[in-house]
Amino acid sequence: FAGGLAGAFSWFFSFPLDCIRAGVQGQDLAYIKSASKKRNAVRVFWDLVSTKGFLGFYAGVGPSIARAFLVSGSRFSAYEGALWICRGGRDNIMMDLK
């Protein structure tokens, strides 16, 4: 559960940067042959603010948060499971040292 929450929070806070990245990468290459039509990150930021406002940075965040929760939670569980297997089925290695 903790891994899922950590992944969901990190994705929520980095989502605006992902929106800007998608705006830069999603340009039609045939249309932007001239340098004046090319949109860099700053221009994508201001275009998004002027058309959708600051809430436009979080458009579609719900499904992404759900996915991040599931992926991060399962990754954390897989790590803990692999660690348990590497320890030979022992839960607490400090108990073996006493």
Side-chain angles (χ1 to χ4, degrees):
F1 185 74
L5 283 178
F9 280 128
S10 66
W11 192 251
F12 180 78
F13 289 116
S14 66
F15 199 78
L17 295 174
D18 193 58
C19 284
I20 293 171
R21 177 203 54 83
V24 171
Q25 288 181 342
Q27 298 179 57
D28 186 14
L29 294 178
Y31 177 74
I32 59 167
K33 288 188 178 186
S34 69
S36 64
K37 295 179 183 176
K38 190 179 290 188
R39 294 172 36 190
N40 60 11
V42 175
R43 187 162 179 183
V44 169
F45 172 84
W46 287 114
D47 287 347
L48 191 57
V49 169
S50 66
T51 57
K52 296 182 182 179
F54 284 103
L55 290 179
F57 289 111
Y58 287 99
V61 74
S64 295
I65 294 294
R67 177 193 168 277
F69 182 84
L70 294 172
V71 168
S72 298
S74 62
R75 186 178 300 151
F76 186 73
S77 297
Y79 170 77
E80 288 294 323
L83 195 61
W84 184 79
I85 290 171
C86 289
R87 289 180 179 160
R90 296 182 305 273
D91 285 331
N92 192 349
I93 198 161
M94 295 305 289
M95 295 300 286
D96 294 335
L97 297 176
K98 290 183 179 180

